[in-house]
Amino acid sequence: MSIVKRDEVKLEETWNLEDLFKTEDEFENAIEEAKKDADSIEAEFKGKIQTSESAAGVIAAYEKLYEKLIPISTYANLALNVDQTNSDAQMRSAKVGQVYGAIGAKLSFIQSELLMLDESVLLQISSAQPGYQRYIKNLLKQKAHQLHPEAEKALAAFSTTFNAPYGLYNTTKLVDMKFPDFEVNGRNYPLSYNLFEGDWELENDRDIRRTAFDAFSSKLREYQHTTAKTYDTHLKIEKTESDLRGYSSIFDFLLEPQEVDRSLYNRQIDLIMSELAPHMRRYAKLLQKVHGLEEMTFADLKISLDPDFEPTITIEESRKYMKDGLAVMGEDYSKMLDRSFDERWIDFAQNEGKSTGAFCSSPYGYHPYVLISWTSRMNEVFVLAHELGHAGHFYLANAEQNVYNARPSLYFIEAPSTMNEMLMANHLLKNSEDARFKRWVISTIISRTYYHNFVTHLLEAAYQRKVYEIIDAGDSVNAQRLNELKRGVLEEFWGDTVILNEGAELTWMRQPHYYMGLYPYTYSAGLTISTQVANRILNEGETAVADWIDVLKMGGTKTPVELAKHAGVDITTEQPLRDTIAYIGSLIDQLEQLTAQLQQ
């Protein structure tokens, strides 16, 4: 196992960015064309948006420009994400940020002038052109929070600066932070962010796993103060804008674009913290018993219940799992899966400087792109299914909706991705009666699907809420305070079942989601919806699948409550969440029973 440079990886394991721009010249020309279009929009419409005709005209003109800007930012971001150490990619991304800031400032007049119109004029456009209904609805929401046009222009001009903390976080994490090898029983092992999170954290050998955790945490600790200051800066930017725009709290500011109120946000965190914790403590104790550990530590929570059984698979073998496991979604969806492999939509390579974790980028007008660092572990099937769930969602939504309507609320965004994990699990369980295989599948559902989305991200959300409460009160955070908050949340959830290793409190340093607003809690929200819909599909078959496909095609034309309702789930009540927590408990019951059966 070694960490290679980007130029050393196999071409077939990388994604094909030439589908966005074939050459650098083509990319540069696209930037110049976008700048000229922005100039034209300014010349034609600035100071002249006074009627429904001119208002509709500027909305349509910006729609076309928006479509041209998307591949530009996608190309720059994806090139940087596969190698944060690449100087050319760094400079390209910085340039795009500057261009976006300049165009945003130049065209900030659009929203200002539209909101100066009588509301009836905007509603007239909304009625006449349904494709613009969502844009106008969101625009009108901003009316109470709109600043003076010159203030809006200044804020837009500073957009690149305001986004700098996220870039600084990634630079610290993926460029400056170099991990030395660690030694166990006289043997050296390489260490990096991706190697730790993709391999060592799941390593069956206790000494290797815990030593890797200590070495990883030691390096994180060296950068905790810089990372904390970066995060505090990001929080202050959000708080300042929230106050400037007159929101009563930073929570209201961040939740408004999600189209849900604070009760849904708090419910997700409070119920899981109190009612899921007992189930997950049982799971931790089961891991401890099966592995014969004297004590269960935080460094042991990601290990497999049956590591000797887990197979390794190739990238090509993963394709068959995707096709078979997601076949229920229909022929068109299956063709999309084939295209994702055949046309290199997926970046599988592991290399130095590559972003951690996995994600899907779905640029409007183009095909989706999936980033993953392939380890050949069988659980990667669930990770890949998850990201292809995002890909399938936007593949359908982008084809059906205009650019204003394609993306749904962040609250719903993780439902299609976690749905694919549930479908994959159901497929694997349906096709085997072997007790050991069933235990492996169920334990993977717990350790990958539910642990990742209902525990890891939910604990991030509980911690994040405490952070925002501090910021909302006008206070600040530093490394010591963030460490205390994170450790407190972990202690509350795990109780005395899990010993928190020195370094567990630094887990807040590992997650980029904190720079994306109130994102972490949405994983459990999405999985709550997908768990219930997956059960519908199991019981009702094609009818439930058809409803789900319809929901995916709706994109952002409906609120999360409306989308969930169309799929057969009522998230205005707490019942779906309680049912999902009970379902997780039943899975752990099965694990305990299957383990007892196998040990006889």
Side-chain angles (χ1 to χ4, degrees):
M1 188 185 301
S2 60
I3 309 166
V4 300
K5 303 285 188 182
R6 180 66 181 181
D7 59 10
E8 298 173 324
V9 302
K10 297 176 182 177
L11 179 67
E12 60 269 26
E13 293 183 6
T14 65
W15 52 29
N16 182 16
L17 296 185
E18 289 185 6
D19 289 344
L20 293 168
F21 297 103
K22 288 184 170 55
T23 66
E24 198 69 20
D25 285 343
E26 193 177 308
F27 169 73
E28 293 290 343
N29 290 338
I31 290 178
E32 293 307 312
E33 185 178 336
K35 288 160 69 174
K36 288 177 183 176
D37 286 355
D39 290 340
S40 297
I41 291 172
E42 181 186 37
E44 182 177 356
F45 292 103
K46 188 172 183 181
K48 304 170 188 174
I49 305 175
Q50 298 167 353
T51 64
S52 60
E53 290 77 13
S54 57
V58 77
I59 293 171
Y62 184 71
E63 178 184 8
K64 292 178 181 177
L65 174 58
Y66 188 14
E67 290 180 8
K68 289 182 179 180
L69 288 170
I70 287 172
I72 293 171
S73 62
T74 302
Y75 182 79
N77 288 333
L78 295 185
L80 184 61
N81 271 288
V82 292
D83 188 2
Q84 298 268 352
T85 68
N86 185 295
S87 179
D88 290 340
Q90 292 172 4
M91 298 308 294
R92 186 190 298 114
S93 180
K95 178 179 180 177
V96 169
Q98 290 176 323
V99 169
Y100 267 52
I103 289 177
K106 186 184 293 289
L107 300 185
S108 64
F109 76 88
I110 296 175
Q111 181 164 310
S112 296
E113 292 191 28
L114 286 172
L115 287 176
M116 288 178 188
L117 296 172
D118 190 276
E119 186 173 320
S120 63
V121 175
L122 294 174
L123 293 176
Q124 181 183 339
I125 300 170
S126 181
S127 177
Q129 301 194 45
Y132 294 155
Q133 284 179 357
R134 187 188 189 211
Y135 175 84
I136 290 171
K137 175 186 172 185
N138 290 335
L139 187 69
L140 289 172
K141 279 186 192 175
Q142 293 302 309
K143 194 172 184 69
H145 306 289
Q146 186 76 1
L147 304 177
H148 186 279
E150 289 303 314
E152 292 291 351
K153 183 176 181 179
L155 286 176
F158 274 105
S159 61
T160 301
T161 305
F162 293 154
N163 290 329
Y166 180 50
L168 179 56
Y169 166 78
N170 277 321
T171 299
T172 304
K173 172 181 174 179
L174 299 170
V175 181
D176 285 344
M177 203 178 290
K178 302 295 184 185
F179 293 87
D181 292 355
F182 64 95
E183 181 183 333
V184 179
N185 297 325
R187 181 179 174 185
N188 286 337
Y189 298 87
L191 183 61
S192 70
Y193 246 103
N194 277 318
L195 284 175
F196 177 74
E197 294 186 344
D199 282 295
W200 302 132
E201 196 172 29
L202 292 74
E203 169 62 41
N204 186 41
D205 186 296
R206 181 194 61 185
D207 292 339
I208 295 175
R209 180 177 67 250
R210 291 182 179 177
T211 304
F213 181 90
D214 291 341
F216 183 73
S217 299
S218 178
K219 181 56 65 173
L220 290 185
R221 192 172 290 108
E222 293 177 15
Y223 289 85
Q224 62 179 318
H225 300 294
T226 298
T227 307
K229 190 64 179 176
T230 300
Y231 183 37
D232 185 58
T233 302
H234 168 76
L235 294 166
K236 294 293 177 53
I237 291 169
E238 289 181 319
K239 173 61 175 170
T240 299
E241 184 172 359
S242 171
D243 289 347
L244 282 174
R245 296 193 179 282
Y247 286 90
S248 58
S249 77
I250 197 169
F251 293 97
D252 295 328
F253 170 58
L254 295 172
L255 283 172
E256 183 174 86
Q258 293 189 20
E259 301 179 285
V260 294
D261 62 37
R262 201 165 169 180
S263 65
L264 269 69
Y265 167 71
N266 285 327
R267 175 211 295 162
Q268 207 68 26
I269 297 173
D270 293 337
L271 270 180
I272 293 177
M273 285 295 291
S274 62
E275 298 191 13
L276 180 64
H279 294 307
M280 294 309 298
R281 290 174 190 175
R282 281 197 295 132
Y283 175 68
K285 287 178 179 175
L286 182 62
L287 282 177
Q288 181 181 1
K289 178 182 177 182
V290 169
H291 283 265
L293 300 173
E294 291 184 12
E295 58 185 23
M296 188 68 183
T297 76
F298 186 77
D300 303 321
L301 285 169
K302 296 289 183 74
I303 56 178
S304 171
L305 189 62
D306 193 352
D308 295 332
F309 185 77
E310 182 172 341
T312 58
I313 62 167
T314 65
I315 290 171
E316 189 55 37
E317 286 170 338
S318 75
R319 177 180 185 148
K320 186 175 188 316
Y321 277 103
M322 295 304 113
K323 293 292 295 296
D324 293 347
L326 304 176
V328 68
M329 292 291 284
E331 187 178 349
D332 288 344
Y333 201 93
S334 183
K335 288 178 181 176
M336 183 274 296
L337 295 174
D338 277 331
R339 287 188 63 195
S340 71
F341 283 86
D342 292 337
E343 299 174 19
R344 287 174 48 216
W345 296 4
I346 309 168
D347 200 275
F348 292 98
Q350 278 210 46
N351 58 264
E352 182 180 326
K354 187 173 182 178
S355 292
T356 58
F359 68 74
C360 177
S361 176
S362 300
Y364 188 86
Y366 298 81
H367 64 71
Y369 284 89
V370 169
L371 178 143
I372 184 173
S373 292
W374 191 256
T375 65
S376 297
R377 292 176 183 269
M378 181 66 177
N379 69 359
E380 296 281 27
V381 163
F382 287 87
V383 181
L384 188 55
H386 178 106
E387 299 307 335
L388 287 171
H390 287 305
H393 183 191
F394 289 107
Y395 182 80
L396 294 170
N398 288 351
E400 295 288 328
Q401 307 296 336
N402 67 26
V403 72
Y404 290 136
N405 292 336
R407 293 191 72 82
S409 156
L410 194 63
Y411 185 93
F412 188 81
I413 213 81
E414 295 298 338
S417 54
T418 53
M419 166 61 86
N420 275 16
E421 294 190 58
M422 299 304 301
L423 295 178
M424 182 63 66
N426 290 341
H427 165 74
L428 293 174
L429 286 172
K430 185 175 68 175
N431 286 279
S432 178
E433 292 300 320
D434 180 75
R436 194 173 183 190
F437 182 76
K438 287 183 69 174
R439 185 177 73 158
W440 177 83
V441 173
I442 295 170
S443 68
T444 303
I445 301 171
I446 294 295
S447 64
R448 158 60 214 172
T449 303
Y450 285 108
Y451 190 105
H452 188 67
N453 300 295
F454 252 73
V455 179
T456 298
H457 290 318
L458 197 282
L459 293 181
E460 290 163 0
Y463 152 84
Q464 185 185 44
R465 184 171 63 175
K466 292 178 183 294
V467 171
Y468 276 122
E469 286 169 351
I470 291 170
I471 298 300
D472 220 24
D475 208 343
S476 302
V477 292
N478 60 13
Q480 180 180 341
R481 200 163 196 181
L482 294 174
N483 289 341
E484 290 169 353
L485 290 172
K486 187 62 183 180
R487 180 170 282 273
V489 168
L490 293 174
E491 288 173 344
E492 179 184 350
F493 189 83
W494 292 112
D496 59 4
T497 303
V498 176
I499 295 172
L500 299 182
N501 312 61
E502 190 67 29
E505 72 283 355
L506 298 170
T507 308
W508 63 268
M509 294 179 64
R510 295 166 53 182
Q511 186 52 265
H513 290 159
Y514 299 132
Y515 297 84
M516 304 172 188
L518 297 176
Y519 188 16
Y521 91 102
T522 66
Y523 280 86
S524 63
L527 184 51
T528 299
I529 295 169
S530 62
T531 298
Q532 301 309 309
V533 178
N535 285 334
R536 263 200 77 201
I537 290 174
L538 272 178
N539 295 324
E540 300 175 31
E542 290 185 10
T543 301
V545 172
D547 285 345
W548 185 242
I549 294 290
D550 285 344
V551 166
L552 299 184
K553 290 179 178 179
M554 288 176 185
T557 58
K558 305 290 183 184
T559 68
V561 169
E562 292 168 336
L563 290 170
K565 184 177 181 181
H566 191 89
V569 184
D570 182 5
I571 60 171
T572 63
T573 76
E574 62 185 29
Q575 198 58 48
L577 179 54
R578 288 190 180 278
D579 288 346
T580 301
I581 292 172
Y583 175 67
I584 297 171
S586 73
L587 291 177
I588 296 172
D589 289 341
Q590 292 180 61
L591 286 182
E592 291 172 334
Q593 293 161 7
L594 286 167
T595 298
Q597 177 185 333
L598 289 166
Q599 289 177 343
Q600 288 177 354

